[in-house]
Amino acid sequence: MKPKDLWSFSNLKIGSPFFIHNVKIYPIEGKLGDDGFTTIEEAIRTRSVILKDIHGVDKISIQNTGERPVFAIDGEEVLGARQNRILNVDIYIEPQKEYVVPVTCIEQHRWEGSPIFSEGGFTITPSLRSTLAQTVKESLEKKQGFKSNQSLIWSQIDITLKATRISSLTSSFHDIYKTLNDVIEELMEGLETIENSIGFLAYIKDEFIGCDFFGSNPIYRRFEKKLLKSYILDGYIRRYVKGPSIPESPEEVMSLISDSTLKKHQSPTEGDILIGNKENLLTKIFTTQGNLLHVAAFPAG
């Protein structure tokens, strides 16, 4: 299936770009879906969701004890337990439901802690999310579920730690974020919510590095700061480590997304995950009952 056959991507508008340090942001304006949920961070703060470590590093359990559905996107970090993890895919959990969801460890040398996770407040960089998405796609093609290439993720984190000369006793990606957080916050200072936006495309030196957009502006606003921080961090890291990018313009990227051939997979929670590619761009779309919640796309390679 192709996104253009299901949603009116042609009605979306690419706004005027602006820079945050070396990252060029092109806002995306329009509307594709509806709101009606809480984020995983909000749910953790109100204690309406419980995230537990279970056997192995590639799965955790998430129980929604609240009254609203919980929505989270791929690459969101949860802290604690035996190692910090990231979600492999978007998830959506109705009230009073519990699921075991696929995750990837982003902390290599710690094997102890409480069984409960806390909020991470951060999303990994688009460079790492690109690797995550590609390896999950490969796993699905092999009918092995929503697994990532754990060793490859660890390797990329180690390369980044060495290149940026950031010290981490447990080879934790979160230590990169903590070390550079003040720099990121300073770059974000004074930035206001992108009015009428549902997301953005990001470029470095006129090369596309990734994009995230959502069904509506209210959804986007709840993820905006977290996502922008991850793209700014990627811009900083790319001064030391090369990341995937492609030369296509914003209009060309949106055309590739709209015309991508995607395969639908039943989410490990509720909803469907559509994933596939067009030429050198990998696209992921998450929907629940036909309602589009999130689109992410990255250079494939």
Side-chain angles (χ1 to χ4, degrees), residues 175-228:
D175 286 336
I176 300 172
Y177 167 61
K178 284 196 303 183
T179 301
L180 298 175
N181 184 53
D182 288 345
V183 175
I184 297 171
E185 288 288 352
E186 186 175 342
L187 293 171
M188 293 276 289
E189 189 174 349
L191 180 70
E192 298 180 357
T193 295
I194 308 171
E195 191 174 355
N196 300 322
S197 176
I198 61 170
F200 57 84
L201 303 104
Y203 282 72
I204 294 178
K205 295 181 179 179
D206 291 324
E207 295 270 319
F208 173 77
I209 65 167
C211 73
D212 283 272
F213 56 98
F214 297 82
S216 67
N217 174 260
I219 303 175
Y220 166 67
R221 286 204 309 265
R222 294 155 87 174
F223 289 93
E224 180 181 56
K225 187 173 182 180
K226 174 186 283 190
L227 282 169
L228 284 173

Side-chain angles (χ1 to χ4, degrees), residues 27 41 250 272 276 299:
E41 284 184 333
D272 295 309

Side-chain angles (χ1 to χ4, degrees), residues 22-34:
N22 64 334
V23 182
K24 193 175 187 179
I25 300 293
Y26 287 86
I28 300 172
E29 301 172 4
K31 183 174 171 58
L32 293 167
D34 299 308

Side-chain angles (χ1 to χ4, degrees), residues 157-169:
I157 292 171
D158 281 341
I159 289 170
T160 301
L161 284 166
K162 290 174 182 175
T164 56
R165 298 184 179 181
I166 292 173
S167 177
S168 174
L169 294 176

Side-chain angles (χ1 to χ4, degrees), residues 1-283:
M1 65 180 66
K2 295 185 177 183
K4 66 181 181 182
D5 298 328
L6 301 173
W7 298 284
S8 300
F9 279 66
S10 60
N11 293 334
L12 300 180
K13 177 185 175 183
I14 300 172
S16 299
F18 62 91
F19 278 93
I20 307 178
H21 194 46
N22 64 334
V23 182
K24 193 175 187 179
I25 300 293
Y26 287 86
I28 300 172
E29 301 172 4
K31 183 174 171 58
L32 293 167
D34 299 308
D35 196 354
F37 54 83
T38 186
T39 65
I40 198 164
E41 284 184 333
E42 293 164 345
I44 290 173
R45 289 173 199 158
T46 58
R47 300 184 180 180
S48 58
V49 70
I50 301 170
L51 292 80
K52 289 183 180 178
D53 208 345
I54 58 178
H55 181 70
V57 298
D58 61 348
K59 295 181 178 68
I60 64 173
S61 78
I62 302 182
Q63 180 183 11
N64 181 4
T65 61
E67 298 179 352
R68 301 184 71 196
V70 172
F71 173 52
I73 67 172
D74 68 284
E76 285 200 74
E77 183 183 41
V78 291
L79 298 179
R82 290 175 298 162
Q83 307 96 1
N84 300 337
R85 320 286 171 83
I86 52 170
L87 300 174
N88 285 3
V89 292
D90 293 19
I91 63 167
Y92 190 91
I93 302 177
E94 293 284 0
Q96 310 307 314
K97 293 285 186 73
E98 182 177 4
Y99 287 93
V100 173
V101 302
V103 295
T104 298
C105 177
I106 53 169
E107 183 179 24
Q108 193 170 357
H109 302 301
R110 180 171 66 88
W111 295 90
E112 59 184 8
S114 77
I116 305 298
F117 290 93
S118 62
E119 63 177 288
F122 195 66
T123 302
I124 59 168
T125 61
S127 290
L128 276 174
R129 287 176 65 206
S130 174
T131 299
L132 181 70
Q134 289 181 72
T135 57
V136 166
K137 179 177 179 288
E138 291 165 4
S139 177
L140 288 168
E141 290 170 348
K142 296 175 184 176
K143 302 188 184 303
Q144 294 176 349
F146 295 91
K147 294 182 179 180
S148 70
N149 186 325
Q150 177 66 81
S151 61
L152 183 56
I153 296 290
W154 273 338
S155 175
Q156 287 187 243
I157 292 171
D158 281 341
I159 289 170
T160 301
L161 284 166
K162 290 174 182 175
T164 56
R165 298 184 179 181
I166 292 173
S167 177
S168 174
L169 294 176
T170 59
S171 295
S172 169
F173 180 84
H174 192 76
D175 286 336
I176 300 172
Y177 167 61
K178 284 196 303 183
T179 301
L180 298 175
N181 184 53
D182 288 345
V183 175
I184 297 171
E185 288 288 352
E186 186 175 342
L187 293 171
M188 293 276 289
E189 189 174 349
L191 180 70
E192 298 180 357
T193 295
I194 308 171
E195 191 174 355
N196 300 322
S197 176
I198 61 170
F200 57 84
L201 303 104
Y203 282 72
I204 294 178
K205 295 181 179 179
D206 291 324
E207 295 270 319
F208 173 77
I209 65 167
C211 73
D212 283 272
F213 56 98
F214 297 82
S216 67
N217 174 260
I219 303 175
Y220 166 67
R221 286 204 309 265
R222 294 155 87 174
F223 289 93
E224 180 181 56
K225 187 173 182 180
K226 174 186 283 190
L227 282 169
L228 284 173
K229 280 186 172 185
S230 73
Y231 279 83
I232 295 167
L233 178 59
D234 207 28
Y236 183 93
I237 291 171
R238 283 174 186 244
R239 294 160 54 188
Y240 305 93
V241 182
K242 184 175 175 60
S245 63
I246 55 176
E248 277 73 8
S249 70
E251 292 77 14
E252 289 169 334
V253 168
M254 292 300 291
S255 178
L256 288 172
I257 292 173
S258 181
D259 201 39
S260 294
T261 300
L262 308 181
K263 185 173 181 180
K264 183 166 72 173
H265 304 272
Q266 173 63 48
S267 165
T269 57
E270 283 120 29
D272 295 309
I273 296 170
L274 285 63
I275 186 168
N277 63 281
K278 172 77 172 180
E279 298 176 10
N280 51 0
L281 186 81
L282 185 146
T283 298

